[in-house]
Every structure is written in C-alpha cells, then in structure tokens.
Amino acid sequence: CKFKIACDVNNPLFGKNGAAYIYGSQKGATSEIIEELDNGLRNFSKVVKNYLSKDVANVEGAGAAGGLGFAFLAFLDSKLESGIKIILEEIKLEEELKDADFVITGEGRLDNQTMGKAPIGVAKLAKKYGVKVIGLAGATTEDAVKCNEEGIDAYFSIVNRAMTIEEAMDKATASENMTATTTQIFNLITSIQQSKNM
C-alpha cells in the first residue's frame, strides 16, 4: 500500500523548529517539559534510524501532530502532502466560492503557524475569485498579521472578555462567542454597504 498523508506543517521532528519546541507550549508544556520531549524525540529518531536505516527526522512535516508525520514516513510507504489541498479538492470548495461575496475561515489560534493550514488554503482559493476573507479564532497572536499577507483580509478573536482557557473552550461558550462576533462583523458590513448605496 501507498499512503497519502494530509500534512499542513513543515516542522522537522526535533530541534528548535521541531514538534516539541513549536507546539509544546500550545499544549501546556513548560520549558523543562519541552526540553524533555525534544530529547525523547531525538532518541526515538536514533532508534528508528538504527533499526530501519531510515533517517527522516528532518523531512518537512516529520514534526506534524507531535511526530506522527515522522511515524508515517518511517513505518509506512507514505508521502506527506498539503492537507488543505487534498481537502479543498475533495469537498470541491472552489465551486462554492465562485459566486461568494465573503468567506469566513478560522482555527483555534491564528499565528505564524497558520501558514500552510486550512485558513490560508481557503483564503488563497477565495482570492482567485476576488472574494473577501474573514478569519475567526479563539486567540490571535502578534505575528498573526502574516495572515493578512496570505489573503485573510481581516481577522478577529471571538473571545470577547477575560476568561480562562477552559471557559473559552467550553462548547456552549465558544458557540455564543462565535455567534456574537460574526453578528457584529456582518452588522459592520451591512452598515458599510448601506452607506455606499445612499
């Protein structure tokens, strides 16, 4: 069998750009834990290299999903490909975009790691038809401004007040926040369109 693996990151397995250092803090790991995780990934890579004679730890995407990209490369006859490309082709999103005025996309957190992920893939496809793209996220970082350069016209955090991560991730709270933010965005759009028509 050959496997086509949907992979939207280009991080290696270990090192300063590896799985532990780039994604560990997002999952709640402290700096000490991140170092321990990175050392574990290095060791695992050495074991695999000795056992299988495969050195794939530095292949782009090996650090995806905490090292799952590495596992697919090392243990299966697989190829890592852009997940968003695969998905957009399968769901035929391009057909839906042709007549759209706006597209809303997003993810849990918009940051410099959003490049190559679903929101940017959607934005690039939308721009092909001149569609305006709005990004929504639970959180945004200072470097999320790169999303503007990649086709997201404007982005917003849906968190509308100070709250714990647990509260923000509660399904009911997230749904209320998303609805409230989206309502305000389209109130603004409607207001601008009405003023243009006066």
Side-chain angles (χ1 to χ4, degrees):
C1 294
K2 291 186 183 292
F3 295 88
K4 183 190 291 188
I5 308 300
C7 180
D8 289 322
V9 300
N10 57 12
N11 304 89
L13 181 63
F14 57 79
K16 294 298 180 186
N17 289 318
Y21 279 97
I22 297 299
Y23 304 107
S25 63
Q26 292 178 6
K27 314 300 183 207
T30 64
S31 57
E32 293 81 14
I33 293 172
I34 289 171
E35 186 175 350
E36 185 177 341
L37 290 170
D38 190 65
N39 287 334
L41 292 170
R42 284 178 191 274
N43 186 55
F44 183 60
S45 171
K46 287 177 187 174
V47 171
V48 169
K49 183 178 177 182
N50 291 337
Y51 184 71
L52 296 177
S53 298
K54 284 189 175 179
D55 187 9
V56 292
N58 289 312
V59 172
E60 287 191 359
L68 195 53
F70 172 81
F72 283 127
L73 289 167
F75 302 115
L76 300 174
D77 186 10
S78 63
K79 181 179 179 186
L80 303 181
E81 294 187 9
S82 166
I84 188 57
K85 180 175 177 269
I86 293 169
I87 292 168
L88 293 179
E89 287 172 0
E90 289 298 318
I91 66 171
K92 299 179 178 25
L93 182 63
E94 187 165 358
E95 290 300 312
E96 301 296 327
L97 288 176
K98 288 180 179 177
D99 297 320
D101 294 319
F102 296 93
V103 169
I104 296 178
T105 186
E107 63 178 348
R109 182 168 98 170
L110 287 174
D111 56 22
N112 68 342
Q113 293 301 313
T114 303
M115 305 313 117
K117 292 186 179 178
I120 301 303
V122 169
K124 288 185 175 184
L125 193 56
K127 290 304 168 194
K128 184 175 174 182
Y129 297 98
V131 179
K132 297 293 182 193
V133 181
I134 300 166
L136 297 179
T140 62
T141 62
E142 287 182 17
D143 55 10
V145 71
K146 292 181 181 177
C147 295
N148 295 133
E149 298 167 13
E150 296 295 324
I152 294 179
D153 295 294
Y155 59 85
F156 304 89
S157 169
I158 65 167
V159 178
N160 57 7
R161 62 181 171 79
M163 63 180 67
T164 64
I165 291 175
E166 291 75 22
E167 187 180 1
M169 293 179 70
D170 175 75
K171 189 174 181 180
T173 303
S175 179
E176 290 170 11
N177 287 345
M178 178 105 48
T179 301
T181 304
T182 305
T183 299
Q184 293 308 310
I185 289 168
F186 280 96
N187 283 347
L188 176 63
I189 290 169
T190 301
S191 171
I192 291 169
Q193 288 177 333
Q194 287 173 344
S195 67
K196 283 183 178 178
N197 293 333
M198 289 182 155

